[in-house]
Amino acid sequence: MLEDVVIIGGGPAGLATAMQLKRHGVDALLLERTRLGGLLLNANLVENYPGFASGISGPELASRFVDHAHAASLRVRFEEVCALSYDGEAFEVKTDATLLRAKVAVIASGTKAKPLPDLNIPEGLADHVFYEVHPLREVRDKKIGIIGAGDAAFDYALNLAQRNQVVILNRGQAVKCLPLLWERAQATAAISYRADTSVTKLESHDAGLLVTCTGPEGVSQIEADYLLGAIGRSPQLDFLSEQFLKDSPELERKGVLYWVGDVKNDRYRQTAIAVGEGIMAGMRISYYLKGESA
């Protein structure tokens, strides 16, 4: 079967694309590896999404997106896309479960966390080190170290500090988060902050971690239950070949390939932007499938 549209990624951009296509009578197939909602599942508080004057938690907003998807009867399959190619007539989408073909492909695959550089993580401690905050949302009365100095690091800290003790470890001196996040962190007793501090070694200690650091005062050690890396993200392109990336501009010009959301937006990774791009892509695709000019 030849699909009209396959959407890769179930975050805000992918969901918005599918919803808009549904309004135009196009029943797209959305493929998502794990859970719908994307990075909203990590967000402590979304404060710039219109309609929520007091803000809304990321998981709550994601839940509303999922409810909307169900109400719209979107076609969603939980499969991991392993490869995407184009044979001159259609896209071939290889997943961990099947092989699909589609006239149009939408890449809304988002981003992946950058791994902590130059840090050896012993195999037995891998389940104590995370790069996303949502797996730790329900933990309580734990000590958690967060490596990073940007919006994500401080947002994660504010989230986890509601029920835990958190220390933010900044490898440099500059704080790169929004001023309001810095102010909130400073006002939160459960959050401590260390500048110019690098993690050099991890060891097992009392069912948790012993984190060795170097900083302005020399070598120190921190006991922690978990360590969370938040040093940036890069586009999730693992399923794309170099040849596909080289050919993608021409496929975009033909109107058969669309990039939407965080996968293409670098520092402009915002839910409202992703949703707007998804809606625009849905409209353009519907015009293309009908043979109309966008």
Side-chain angles (χ1 to χ4, degrees), residues 24-25 38 75 112 116 138 180 197 201 254 275 287 290 293:
H24 288 268
R75 280 200 300 146
K112 59 182 179 180
L116 296 169
E138 302 304 319
L180 62 88
T197 301
K201 186 177 182 180
K254 289 178 63 175
V275 168
Y287 298 145
K290 295 175 184 176
S293 173

Side-chain angles (χ1 to χ4, degrees), residues 27-269:
D27 193 21
L29 174 62
L30 189 151
L31 300 172
E32 166 56 37
R33 181 172 62 90
T34 53
R35 299 169 59 187
L36 296 176
L39 286 187
L40 279 177
L41 298 171
N42 281 340
N44 176 49
L45 189 65
V46 180
E47 298 180 90
N48 62 349
Y49 196 82
F52 299 96
S54 299
I56 181 171
S57 79
E60 173 60 24
L61 186 55
S63 177
R64 296 191 182 207
F65 277 35
V66 173
D67 288 345
H68 193 158
H70 290 160
S73 298
L74 299 186
R75 280 200 300 146
V76 178
R77 281 167 44 177
F78 291 95
E79 300 177 20
E80 181 175 3
V81 174
C82 305
L84 177 67
S85 59
Y86 189 73
D87 64 10
E89 296 182 356
F91 289 94
E92 187 173 274
V93 188
K94 181 180 180 181
T95 78
D96 57 358
T98 190
L99 188 65
L100 305 165
R101 286 175 60 81
K103 299 176 185 176
V104 175
V106 179
I107 299 176
S109 50
T111 61
K112 59 182 179 180
K114 293 181 179 179
L116 296 169
D118 305 320
L119 180 62
N120 178 46
I121 301 174
E123 184 176 345
L125 299 181
D127 57 352
H128 291 268
V129 180
F130 293 83
Y131 292 95
E132 311 285 355
V133 75
H134 61 84
L136 298 175
R137 279 190 173 276
E138 302 304 319
V139 303
R140 294 176 178 272
D141 303 320
K142 302 296 183 181
K143 296 178 181 178
I144 303 172
I146 298 178
I147 301 176
D151 289 347
F154 280 82
D155 187 75
Y156 293 174
L158 290 165
N159 185 342
L160 296 171
Q162 297 175 40
R163 296 176 293 274
N164 305 278
Q165 292 292 318
V166 178
V167 56
I168 300 173
L169 305 171
N170 182 357
R171 298 174 298 168
Q173 295 183 342
V175 174
K176 301 176 182 178
C177 68
L178 290 170
L180 62 88
L181 294 177
W182 171 242
E183 292 169 5
R184 290 172 184 170
Q186 286 184 302
T188 302
I191 297 177
S192 58
Y193 170 78
R194 295 190 185 189
D196 201 18
T197 301
S198 297
V199 175
T200 59
K201 186 177 182 180
L202 296 181
E203 299 174 85
S204 178
H205 179 73
D206 288 345
L209 301 171
L210 185 64
V211 183
T212 300
C213 306
T214 58
E217 299 179 358
V219 178
S220 62
Q221 292 184 315
I222 301 169
E223 294 181 12
D225 294 288
Y226 301 106
L227 188 66
L228 180 59
I231 61 171
R233 305 186 71 86
S234 57
Q236 176 55 273
L237 306 175
D238 294 351
F239 58 97
L240 299 178
S241 68
E242 290 185 11
Q243 185 62 49
F244 185 93
L245 292 172
K246 182 179 179 181
D247 295 341
S248 66
E250 179 59 29
L251 296 175
E252 291 179 75
R253 283 191 289 272
K254 289 178 63 175
V256 296
L257 177 66
Y258 298 80
W259 300 78
V260 293
D262 289 3
V263 71
K264 58 177 278 289
N265 285 338
D266 195 22
R267 65 173 58 189
Y268 302 104
R269 300 194 300 266

Side-chain angles (χ1 to χ4, degrees), residues 15-27:
L15 287 169
T17 304
M19 291 173 188
Q20 186 64 33
L21 283 167
K22 194 74 175 223
R23 286 172 56 83
H24 288 268
V26 180
D27 193 21

